[in-house]
Amino acid sequence: MYNNNKSNTETLAKYLSLDQGGKVQAEYIWIDGDSGLRSKTRPLDFNPADVSEISEWNFDGSSTNQAPGDDSDVLLRPVAIFKDPFRGGDNILVLNECFNNDGTPNRTNHRHSCAKVMKTYTDQHPWFGIEQEYTLFESDGSVLGWPKGGFPGPQGPYYCSVGANVAFGRDVVEAHYRACLYAGVNISGINAEVMPGQWEFQVGPCEGIDMGDHLWIARFLLQRVAEDFGIIVSFHPKPIKGDWNGAGCHTNYSTQAMREEGGIKAIHAAIDKMAARHADHITVYGEDNDQRLTGRHETGHISQFSYGVANRGASIRIPRHVAAEGKGYLEDRRPASNIDPYRVTQIIVESSLA
């Protein structure tokens, strides 16, 4: 019987080793109407040197919550290329923006407006680093590593843990890390998180629009890797109710002025501007974020803005070494694990630099 949870790697390898006849397989990837990822493949007759050489494509938007059934074609417009770690060779992953038939950006296309904002402030050189937390589940709906029908021991020994009794899912995490490196994603680290079965990877520093591009591809790679292991990835900000940490997407941010000598003044000025738009930020900082931002479990309360040096219970944290050196970056701890990074990076730049 075919195992739907795990691919037969030896059998698959036999086919993946076959000559492709000069064709390049291009996996077109896009964001759907529910902030999920979709993809489909087509062959190219050449190995593109630039994304501008790749033709547009389309898909049935009525099946992805992006268009009505009587006008369902949605256009895929390639915007970034990454190497394909699953097929290898010259095969590629192609990230796309979605457009309607009239040429306007689809309502799910937040990259389009983000790219305009980043271009406006390109002389400020905005850098981002995002810490993506996520939770691994088994196919039966239980958190990976948790006792069936029960709960593990209290949080404490799981963060950055080592050992089979406290670290669960390392094979998925390591495979994902290597896949990101191969693909060209600017991944900068991994670690086990506070809740058992929960992990984090970091992407960055990336400048401008590259932040959203690299994080979305990293998410795609994680879900594809987990698929091979028969594991389900959850980006919900509070996957388990109760006395367990939620999952966030802490967003580190700096401009050239913040990174230069005396940059702490620019950091404080940005924080003051971001504080004035706290409610606006929260609206794009993830669904169900109210379940996570409770003022407990290393979070600030969703209705209150705060900041502090080395304070993980604040909305925005200034790292200790940044305060000591008088320059560097800030960490916005409000974004949830299910954010659209284009929306988050856009509002941070708009509110801090406008």
Side-chain angles (χ1 to χ4, degrees):
M1 180 182 291
Y2 179 72
N3 187 338
N4 287 316
N5 290 332
K6 293 185 179 179
S7 58
N8 187 321
T9 53
E10 291 183 3
T11 302
L12 178 60
K14 178 175 69 174
Y15 294 102
L16 290 182
S17 65
L18 295 175
D19 184 81
Q20 296 184 201
K23 303 286 187 179
V24 171
Q25 287 179 280
E27 187 78 11
Y28 281 59
I29 300 166
W30 71 94
I31 302 159
D32 69 14
D34 301 301
S35 298
L37 286 160
R38 308 283 181 128
S39 71
K40 61 177 184 173
T41 311
R42 77 188 311 180
L44 305 179
D45 294 324
F46 64 101
N47 188 3
D50 186 80
V51 70
S52 62
E53 300 175 10
I54 304 176
S55 62
E56 297 177 347
W57 204 7
N58 60 68
F59 66 94
D60 172 18
S62 68
S63 297
T64 62
N65 194 24
Q66 290 175 279
D70 59 354
D71 187 18
S72 65
D73 285 355
V74 176
L75 181 69
L76 290 171
R77 187 169 296 168
V79 293
I81 301 175
F82 295 83
K83 293 171 63 179
D84 187 340
F86 307 106
R87 296 184 174 115
D90 292 331
N91 301 302
I92 56 175
L93 306 176
V94 183
L95 182 65
N96 296 265
E97 285 190 28
C98 295
F99 287 84
N100 304 316
N101 284 328
D102 61 3
T104 59
N106 187 268
R107 62 176 176 78
T108 63
N109 182 358
H110 299 294
R111 186 186 189 278
H112 188 71
S113 61
C114 181
K116 289 182 178 180
V117 170
M118 295 305 174
K119 185 176 182 180
T120 298
Y121 295 100
T122 186
D123 60 327
Q124 303 291 320
H125 298 287
W127 287 6
F128 298 92
I130 292 184
E131 306 166 25
Q132 174 70 71
E133 295 177 344
Y134 60 94
T135 308
L136 298 177
F137 283 78
E138 297 192 57
S139 57
D140 63 2
S142 61
V143 181
L144 186 65
W146 285 39
K148 300 299 182 184
F151 295 91
Q155 295 179 158
Y158 310 106
Y159 173 68
C160 295
S161 58
V162 177
N165 61 323
V166 286
F168 314 111
R170 192 179 298 277
D171 48 358
V172 175
V173 174
E174 290 292 343
H176 172 245
Y177 199 163
R178 191 61 59 91
C180 284
L181 291 173
Y182 179 91
V185 170
N186 189 18
I187 187 169
S188 47
I190 55 172
N191 60 267
E193 263 305 329
V194 176
M195 189 181 84
Q198 196 172 75
W199 292 78
E200 175 186 298
F201 65 85
Q202 303 93 37
V203 174
C206 295
E207 185 165 342
I209 198 66
D210 286 347
M211 183 68 256
D213 292 351
H214 281 243
L215 187 65
W216 274 116
I217 291 296
R219 286 174 171 175
F220 174 83
L221 293 174
L222 176 60
Q223 291 182 318
R224 274 287 284 106
V225 165
E227 179 183 318
D228 284 345
F229 287 91
I231 296 298
I232 299 167
V233 178
S234 171
F235 293 114
H236 195 280
K238 192 69 173 179
I240 302 296
K241 305 295 188 274
D243 196 20
W244 305 99
N245 271 38
C249 241
H250 301 155
T251 302
N252 300 282
Y253 166 63
S254 70
T255 61
Q256 184 171 323
M258 296 178 190
R259 297 187 293 269
E260 294 175 344
E261 290 299 322
I264 194 68
K265 292 182 179 178
I267 292 173
H268 280 289
I271 291 174
D272 288 343
K273 290 183 177 180
M274 292 168 70
R277 296 192 61 188
H278 176 65
D280 295 331
H281 282 249
I282 290 298
T283 61
V284 298
Y285 273 16
E287 298 296 321
D288 298 316
N289 205 15
D290 58 314
Q291 298 177 26
R292 168 180 163 265
L293 294 182
T294 62
R296 301 182 61 217
H297 304 111
E298 299 179 286
T299 70
H301 196 277
I302 194 168
S303 64
Q304 301 170 339
F305 181 87
S306 61
Y307 77 93
V309 175
N311 184 358
R312 283 181 164 77
S315 305
I316 291 181
R317 179 179 73 96
I318 299 175
R320 178 73 66 189
H321 72 276
V322 171
E325 294 174 10
K327 61 180 180 179
Y329 65 95
L330 62 86
E331 179 194 39
D332 192 337
R333 298 179 59 82
R334 295 171 294 176
S337 49
N338 57 4
I339 58 164
D340 185 324
Y342 298 128
R343 303 184 77 184
V344 170
T345 56
Q346 176 178 333
I347 197 171
I348 287 176
V349 167
E350 285 180 326
S351 62
S352 66
L353 296 179

